[in-house]
Amino acid sequence: VSAITAAYALSANTTETYAYLPEHSVYFYDTAGEYAWASSEVDTLAVAGVIKGGGTHLFYPGNAITRADFIVMLDRAYGMSEALDNGSFVGVPSSAYYSKAVIAAKAFGIAAGTATGEFQPQQSMTRQDAMVFLKRTIDRTALKLGTGSVSSFSDASRISNYAKPSVSALVG
């Protein structure tokens, strides 16, 4: 056993199946290094079934997430699609893996789409839209959020007007 392996073994908290190594994901090889700060949170979401990664124990933390995949994660976390039987959304094929989640997000008022009624599932998710979708989801629960200040963010002036209340609430 090398000195490094022994050091990790001595500091590991073990469970039935996995050993927890600080700043290392139990599930994904590629959350070390510059993404080590998120390892614990990524593992928590993996255990809850909210995220599944890209296969072969890879998470791809540096890749952009699509609007469809973000809604799928919200659906896995909150079970929205379990409450619906059918529906539709412009630009969302009924055969798509994300169809039920996106339709549920529309039905619950979480995703309203563009001015033309499109969801644009393959478009990269922006931080402000992620916060809008998350805030709208939280609004459907018993959790109540306060408000916070976004002034400490270097890009605060670029937050769109429609997103400012959601960003402020989640910062708070």
Side-chain angles (χ1 to χ4, degrees):
V1 176
S2 72
I4 294 173
T5 304
Y8 282 134
L10 292 174
S11 66
N13 299 322
T14 59
T15 64
E16 290 180 15
T17 309
Y18 300 102
Y20 172 69
L21 305 174
E23 297 187 13
H24 289 80
S25 172
V26 172
Y27 300 98
F28 306 108
Y29 302 128
D30 58 350
T31 59
E34 70 179 290
Y35 303 106
W37 60 270
S39 292
S40 178
E41 290 77 7
V42 168
D43 282 356
T44 298
L45 292 172
V47 167
V50 174
I51 60 171
K52 298 186 182 204
T56 321
H57 299 287
L58 296 173
F59 182 64
Y60 302 104
N63 289 2
I65 186 169
T66 65
R67 292 167 54 86
D69 286 337
F70 189 82
I71 291 294
V72 166
M73 290 188 320
L74 284 177
D75 183 50
R76 288 177 185 158
Y78 290 93
M80 297 177 293
S81 65
E82 295 172 10
L84 301 177
D85 288 330
N86 58 29
S88 65
F89 212 137
V90 176
V92 177
S94 61
S95 60
Y97 71 91
Y98 52 81
S99 178
K100 283 187 74 169
V102 171
I103 290 165
K106 179 182 180 184
F108 284 106
I110 293 161
T114 66
T116 59
E118 294 179 88
F119 179 68
Q120 300 175 332
Q122 299 309 314
Q123 182 177 345
S124 291
M125 191 72 188
T126 64
R127 289 182 299 156
Q128 70 180 11
D129 282 350
M131 295 179 96
V132 168
F133 289 168
L134 181 56
K135 171 69 167 65
R136 289 176 182 165
T137 302
I138 291 170
D139 286 347
R140 271 71 184 164
T141 70
L143 185 62
K144 299 298 177 207
L145 301 176
T147 58
S149 173
V150 298
S151 62
S152 64
F153 294 99
S154 62
D155 59 351
S157 65
R158 292 186 290 190
I159 300 170
S160 298
N161 286 335
Y162 75 90
K164 285 180 181 175
S166 296
V167 173
S168 175
L170 289 170
V171 167

